[in-house]
Amino acid sequence: MKNTTLKQNRNSALLTSILSILLGIIVGAILMLLAGYNPLVAYQALLGSAILQPFDLGETIRTTSPLIFIGLAVALAFRTGLFNIGVEGQYIVGSLTAYLVAAKVSLPTGIHALVAVVAGGLAGAAWAALPGLLKAFRGVHEVIISIMMNFIALYFSNVLVRTWLAVGKDSTDKIPPTASLRIGSLSQLFAGARIHMGIILALLAVFVFYYLLWKTKLGYQLRAVGYNRHAAEYAGISVRRNIVLSFLLSGFLAGLAGATELLGTSEYIAIQDAFIGIGFDGIAVALLGANAPVGVVLSALLFGVLTYGGGNMQFVAGVPFEIIRVVFAAIIFFVAAKISFRWGNRKKGKAYA
Amino acid sequence: MNVVEMRGITKRFGSFTANEDIHLVVKKGEIHALLGENGAGKSTLMNILFGLYQPDEGEIYIHEKKVQISGPTMANELGIGMVHQHFMLVQPFTVTENIILGVEEKSSGFVQYEKARNKVQKLSEQYGLKIDADAVIEDISVGMQQRVEILKTLYRGAEILIFDEPTAVLTPQEIDELIVIMRNLIREGKTIIFISHKLKEIMAACNRVTVIRRGKIAKTVEVSETDEKKLAALMVGREVSFEMEKKEQKKGSIALEVKDLLVKGFHGKMAVDHLSLDIHKGEIVGLAGVDGNGQSELIEAITGLKKIEQGSIFLNEVDITKFKTRKIIETGVGHIPEDRHKRGLILDFTVSENMILSTYYKTPFATTWGINYTEVEKYTDRLISEFDVRTPSIDTPIRALSGGNQQKAIIAREVDRDPDLLIAAQPTRGLDVGAIEFIHRRIMEQRDKGKAVLLVSLELNEILKLSDRVAIIYEGKIQGWVDPKIVSEEELGLLMTGSKQAGGDAI
């Protein structure tokens, strides 16, 4: 009898995720059939080109690491009952700040990278502070403010690149190697793939996320506020303070995503005419991963495989990459529709009512 | 004639059997009470009759014809109507609009409002409901809203009315009126199934009573051939003592002093209006009043959850008026909140996480950054055994516990801190006799230990049974003080509605 309900909850979340993934893949397959492609060949190409070769595996992991950070960022806010849709902006600000520290400050190898990463995280937190403060003290809906903050971040970054960091060009120079997160031996291990220290930092963040939320006083407060702010208030927990803290931490994680991507993958900043959409992917990762640390890692990995492998599938099987975005969307659709609800949860839930 | 007959009904949820081989016979023209503890299976049985659940075994006969009730629509067609405990009304709509919602009579696309209005008015007169068909729901009292629910079932042609805990929200006078209405309904040929765990009302209103215990029928008896004590024993499965042994009061100095308090409610009106109140050590002060007369705001002001406009609050001579909630808790206030799901518990937290809700940051639970969950578990183990909280494990989400056990968990948490002032708001709302008895004893223990207790309850007999002094609150003011030993429920009811000032028996 021990732990049954807890397990039921976990099982139903897991069941939802697995069913949603399967259904999403089936929806993709139906689309391919309708468009005259062979889904078996396509998925085989996708999977084969994502993980079989060391190079591809390295690139898949590289694609996965910012998704882990962003997924954690969204999940942390969700756990406190907040919807941080501003991760995209916090990501941009994080990467911009990391670039500034990398390009404009000189420090010894390693330390330089570390300082740039932390600076990126702090910048993300600072960018998230405004929606957090407005939500806590003025009751302004965080979604509205965060979306606007995304636009400000995007165009602010573009202005800085065009007028200061790379006058007359579309992109900046590369960062100095002292600030890079790439490690030669790691790249060699994966046949020269752009895999970098970001994945190590991301996995570290997963552990910190778990420890923070379930083992510390702060985590207890954040979860209490998230589940029931009236009860938290009743117990003397400051709801406002925890809303702001949650946004700061979430923004910090999003900033880390931007910083590690810049310092490890791209190594320069380019003018962007639109969002890269990592914010939405992060929301998808958090939803599919049920806001749980291990869940976020697994769903980030799935999205990493689909994104990287999907790109190759285009070449190998001739199936357009857009199909993979449809698979993404379908998976999230099914997660949001709580597809396992009828099969597992409903009757058991009622027994206690 | 048997209007309803349920034969051998069994309903299982997974491994849990909610109803086991239940036989229920309801005769035409009677008020048949369904009595049982919370979780005994009354609601499940009625949900089966109303078509919300399908039984695993058994048969249902309506007017002696075998039926299979596939859903509420079919139940309505069979003439079964349910008056829910939580009203299903659209607040800004009028009475008529609410009643016809979903069954509007139309003519070329337009709702025949005038015709419906007249029908509503006629039904209201026929059954003595005294409802104004044009009144807007949010402007009328809770008792009136309940009558609208009754009218709704009648409008849909109900012959068998199920009342789900109808008196939980009513004042004593409204309860009397409801009983009159039920008699009117019977006289007009209706049949009523009355779900309750209040013995007094069953004795006053019903013809026969079926007692359900742990999913099985304990017995069906004529009300005239039984009494409250026998019914309680049937329901709980053992003897229940109604009499509480009240020890000689050892009244000490003043513990809580509220002076000239002003607290705003919704719409900026003063919910607590120049209220003053004091409670001594070793004393239970009962606060009686009709719901919505400032009780909630008073409690929230004392516990720092609501802003105080004016006035002051002292606890053992410490001015806590400007303290934040945490500081107030630390100064020695325990609070059993009126709404356990809104304030009292975090339903998705485990039992043990809920036990440290206001103490998680203190030793022995807190370390520098973290929480020592070994200590939390030890503490929870002790509390659940001391306070008889029945749970599969301390890691179970508290959502899965029954209402009584959830309430016991809150009481364990609040009482174990041994606060100088215990605020108990509706401490036994919705609980069964066994749990009520337990909770009353715990509250009494605090008083006997020399603590101050503020008891806020809509149950008058609870207030009269436990309190040393009773204050009546009306429109945010203390209308008067009475001695619970000599005041009658009727007199209290009049004071509560503001129609009488406390007279010679005031203390």
Side-chain angles (χ1 to χ4, degrees):
Chain A
M1 202 47 194
K2 198 176 155 67
N3 278 349
T4 41
T5 38
L6 207 63
K7 268 187 196 145
Q8 272 168 16
N9 288 344
R10 280 199 194 131
N11 287 345
S12 95
L14 186 65
L15 190 65
T16 303
S17 296
I18 290 172
L19 282 173
S20 303
I21 292 166
L22 289 176
L23 287 168
I25 288 171
I26 291 170
V27 166
I30 292 171
L31 262 179
M32 289 182 213
L33 282 173
L34 287 176
Y37 303 105
N38 183 342
L40 285 178
V41 174
Y43 283 129
Q44 210 175 359
L46 184 151
L47 208 60
S49 58
I51 53 175
L52 285 185
Q53 299 297 322
F55 176 85
D56 293 325
L57 189 60
E59 285 291 318
T60 297
I61 292 172
R62 173 191 65 74
T63 316
T64 302
S65 27
L67 289 172
I68 295 178
F69 276 123
I70 288 281
L72 291 178
V74 177
L76 192 127
F78 271 145
R79 286 272 175 198
T80 318
L82 299 167
F83 192 5
N84 182 7
I85 203 170
V87 282
E88 182 105 29
Q90 293 141 23
Y91 174 95
I92 293 170
V93 171
S95 103
L96 181 70
T97 308
Y99 177 79
L100 290 177
V101 172
K104 305 289 177 190
V105 182
S106 8
L107 283 167
T109 310
I111 293 177
H112 199 176
L114 192 68
V115 171
V117 167
V118 173
L122 291 175
W127 205 250
L130 189 64
L133 287 167
L134 282 171
K135 169 82 179 182
F137 290 93
R138 305 290 316 149
V140 181
H141 205 294
E142 72 272 20
V143 167
I144 316 278
I145 301 294
S146 304
I147 291 177
M148 293 307 137
M149 295 291 285
N150 286 348
F151 284 103
I152 298 174
L154 176 69
Y155 295 113
F156 178 62
S157 168
N158 283 351
V159 167
L160 278 194
V161 173
R162 190 173 292 140
T163 61
W164 176 36
L165 298 171
V167 181
K169 287 183 290 181
D170 286 343
S171 60
T172 64
D173 295 332
K174 280 206 166 191
I175 55 164
T178 49
S180 174
L181 280 177
R182 287 195 202 164
I183 292 181
S185 51
L186 191 64
S187 277
Q188 273 161 28
L189 202 64
F190 289 95
R194 284 175 297 166
I195 183 170
H196 53 82
M197 288 300 286
I199 185 64
I200 309 290
L201 294 175
L203 292 176
L204 201 66
V206 172
F207 178 74
V208 171
F209 178 94
Y210 165 74
Y211 190 83
L212 179 86
L213 277 177
W214 281 278
K215 297 290 168 199
T216 69
K217 286 182 273 188
L218 176 61
Y220 181 88
Q221 292 170 17
L222 290 173
R223 287 186 299 125
V225 170
Y227 279 134
N228 182 349
R229 61 187 57 181
H230 299 291
E233 193 184 23
Y234 150 87
I237 296 170
S238 167
V239 173
R240 289 176 173 176
R241 194 166 154 265
N242 283 289
I243 286 177
V244 176
L245 278 172
S246 170
F247 251 94
L248 289 177
L249 288 166
S250 176
F252 186 77
L253 286 164
L256 288 183
T260 51
E261 263 302 272
L262 179 103
L263 301 169
T265 305
S266 68
E267 301 199 317
Y268 63 85
I269 297 185
I271 290 178
Q272 312 253 353
D273 48 8
F275 293 118
I276 55 171
I278 192 158
F280 285 112
D281 288 350
I283 293 165
V285 167
L287 276 175
L288 183 62
N291 303 320
V294 178
V296 165
V297 173
L298 293 178
S299 61
L301 188 63
L302 175 78
F303 279 57
V305 167
L306 289 177
T307 306
Y308 180 74
N312 285 343
M313 176 185 79
Q314 203 162 349
F315 301 115
V316 180
V319 180
F321 182 67
E322 281 74 9
I323 297 269
I324 292 305
R325 301 300 302 186
V326 172
V327 174
F328 271 33
I331 291 174
I332 297 314
F333 176 86
F334 290 120
V335 172
K338 292 206 170 98
I339 198 72
S340 75
F341 192 64
R342 276 176 177 280
W343 298 355
N345 222 7
R346 194 166 169 189
K347 286 188 173 169
K348 285 172 194 157
K350 287 266 169 146
Y352 298 95
Chain B
M1 186 169 99
N2 295 339
V3 180
V4 176
E5 189 174 355
M6 299 177 88
R7 283 191 203 156
I9 299 288
T10 296
K11 177 71 188 168
R12 297 183 199 88
F13 297 100
S15 58
F16 175 76
T17 307
N19 285 163
E20 192 180 337
D21 191 26
I22 285 196
H23 292 262
L24 176 71
V25 176
V26 181
K27 293 178 190 155
K28 184 165 173 62
E30 71 168 344
I31 305 180
H32 193 112
L34 207 53
L35 172 69
E37 295 191 288
N38 273 30
K42 311 182 290 269
S43 301
T44 307
L45 188 68
M46 285 304 108
N47 283 332
I48 288 172
L49 184 58
F50 199 56
L52 290 166
Y53 293 151
Q54 295 306 315
D56 295 318
E57 286 160 35
E59 294 165 342
I60 302 172
Y61 295 81
I62 302 291
H63 298 300
E64 297 180 345
K65 258 191 236 106
K66 190 176 167 183
V67 290
Q68 193 138 29
I69 304 173
S70 57
T73 321
M74 175 152 184
N76 278 332
E77 281 164 15
L78 289 168
I80 303 171
M82 179 109 110
V83 177
H84 295 274
Q85 190 179 0
H86 303 283
F87 305 150
M88 320 259 177
L89 297 170
V90 185
Q91 291 288 327
F93 274 20
T94 65
V95 168
T96 306
E97 284 168 336
N98 266 286
I99 286 171
I100 62 175
L101 196 63
V103 292
E104 306 89 351
E105 270 183 67
K106 282 175 232 154
S107 130
S108 52
F110 291 95
V111 175
Q112 297 287 85
Y113 188 85
E114 205 47 41
K115 201 170 145 200
R117 204 197 81 88
N118 292 337
K119 191 171 163 196
V120 167
Q121 204 68 57
K122 223 182 91 202
L123 277 173
S124 165
E125 277 156 27
Q126 184 185 351
Y127 295 98
L129 295 174
K130 298 185 189 120
I131 291 175
D132 173 5
D134 298 315
V136 175
I137 295 297
E138 55 197 1
D139 296 338
I140 63 179
S141 71
V142 171
M144 271 299 174
Q145 295 187 16
Q146 187 174 56
R147 293 184 199 177
V148 176
E149 285 283 3
I150 297 171
L151 232 174
K152 220 158 98 180
T153 63
L154 296 173
Y155 188 89
R156 284 159 173 72
E159 291 297 319
I160 304 154
L161 284 84
I162 305 169
F163 283 71
D164 187 7
E165 308 258 355
T167 58
V169 290
L170 304 181
T171 63
Q173 275 80 11
E174 284 176 324
I175 292 174
D176 291 342
E177 288 168 24
L178 176 69
I179 292 176
V180 173
I181 290 171
M182 296 200 319
R183 298 237 165 89
N184 288 345
L185 288 166
I186 297 305
R187 210 175 40 232
E188 298 285 327
K190 310 284 180 190
T191 305
I192 294 176
I193 302 179
F194 182 86
I195 306 179
S196 182
H197 52 238
K198 289 191 199 159
L199 303 166
K200 219 175 94 190
E201 287 155 16
I202 290 177
M203 295 302 297
C206 302
N207 306 105
R208 290 196 308 151
V209 49
T210 295
V211 186
I212 298 189
R213 188 166 78 223
R214 283 187 214 112
K216 293 181 205 160
I217 295 276
K219 212 174 182 182
T220 299
V221 289
E222 296 282 336
V223 166
S224 56
E225 288 164 13
T226 185
D227 60 37
E228 289 186 37
K229 230 179 154 73
K230 281 185 202 152
L231 285 179
L234 274 175
M235 169 160 83
V236 188
R238 63 179 165 81
E239 289 289 318
V240 179
S241 75
F242 282 108
E243 303 309 316
M244 172 118 52
E245 205 192 323
K246 212 165 173 178
K247 285 190 192 141
E248 188 65 31
Q249 188 188 9
K250 279 176 267 165
K251 194 163 161 179
S253 53
I254 288 181
L256 175 80
E257 191 173 15
V258 177
K259 280 193 217 159
D260 197 32
L261 198 70
L262 270 180
V263 183
K264 268 191 194 155
F266 284 120
H267 315 304
K269 223 179 99 190
M270 285 302 156
V272 175
D273 195 5
H274 298 286
L275 181 145
S276 299
L277 179 90
D278 59 72
I279 306 178
H280 291 255
K281 289 177 181 161
E283 180 181 48
I284 298 178
V285 166
L287 190 63
V290 178
D291 202 6
N293 271 284
Q295 297 96 320
S296 313
E297 288 83 357
L298 173 65
I299 295 169
E300 303 227 313
I302 297 174
T303 51
L305 294 165
K306 214 166 172 83
K307 202 178 141 220
I308 293 166
E309 302 294 324
Q310 192 192 307
S312 54
I313 302 170
F314 289 85
L315 179 64
N316 291 334
E317 287 164 11
V318 180
D319 185 352
I320 60 167
T321 317
K322 294 204 162 61
F323 282 8
K324 289 196 167 153
T325 301
R326 175 163 292 177
K327 193 83 186 292
I328 292 169
I329 294 171
E330 285 172 347
T331 313
V333 176
H335 176 191
I336 301 163
E338 60 179 341
D339 186 339
R340 57 177 166 266
H341 288 174
K342 183 182 173 201
R343 290 267 191 213
L345 296 169
I346 294 183
L347 291 172
D348 294 298
F349 268 13
T350 63
V351 174
S352 59
E353 281 174 320
N354 269 292
M355 285 304 188
I356 55 165
L357 199 55
S358 45
T359 47
Y360 69 94
Y361 62 96
K362 285 188 177 164
T363 46
F365 310 127
T367 57
T368 319
W369 289 96
I371 291 178
N372 182 345
Y373 279 99
T374 322
E375 285 295 332
V376 177
E377 280 162 24
K378 250 174 32 196
Y379 178 71
T380 308
D381 277 330
R382 177 170 74 75
L383 284 194
I384 63 171
S385 75
E386 267 178 35
F387 285 81
D388 191 32
V389 181
R390 290 183 207 157
T391 170
S393 93
I394 59 172
D395 298 322
T396 307
I398 206 149
R399 179 187 294 285
L401 270 55
S402 71
N405 282 308
Q406 289 177 343
Q407 189 71 355
K408 282 194 221 163
I410 294 175
I411 285 163
R413 182 182 71 207
E414 297 305 309
V415 168
D416 191 70
R417 283 193 287 115
D418 211 13
D420 294 331
L421 168 69
L422 179 67
I423 300 173
Q426 322 296 351
T428 58
R429 170 140 75 189
L431 304 188
D432 55 70
V433 179
I436 291 174
E437 187 192 7
F438 180 89
I439 287 164
H440 282 173
R441 245 187 298 123
R442 290 297 179 156
I443 292 173
M444 204 48 113
E445 269 170 31
Q446 285 303 105
R447 163 205 186 249
D448 294 341
K449 269 161 73 183
K451 308 292 180 179
V453 178
L454 174 62
L455 172 69
V456 181
S457 179
L458 300 174
E459 301 281 342
L460 284 184
N461 45 18
E462 177 167 85
I463 292 222
L464 294 177
K465 184 164 131 191
L466 294 177
S467 308
D468 297 301
R469 283 191 297 154
V470 176
I472 294 96
I473 190 168
Y474 175 69
E475 291 189 343
K477 293 188 185 72
I478 297 297
Q479 184 83 354
W481 290 83
V482 295
D483 183 343
K485 287 196 282 294
I486 50 178
V487 74
S488 67
E489 279 204 26
E490 285 64 36
E491 194 173 355
L492 260 182
L494 289 173
L495 281 165
M496 281 161 59
T497 46
S499 44
K500 179 176 184 285
Q501 295 276 338
D505 54 359
I507 47 169

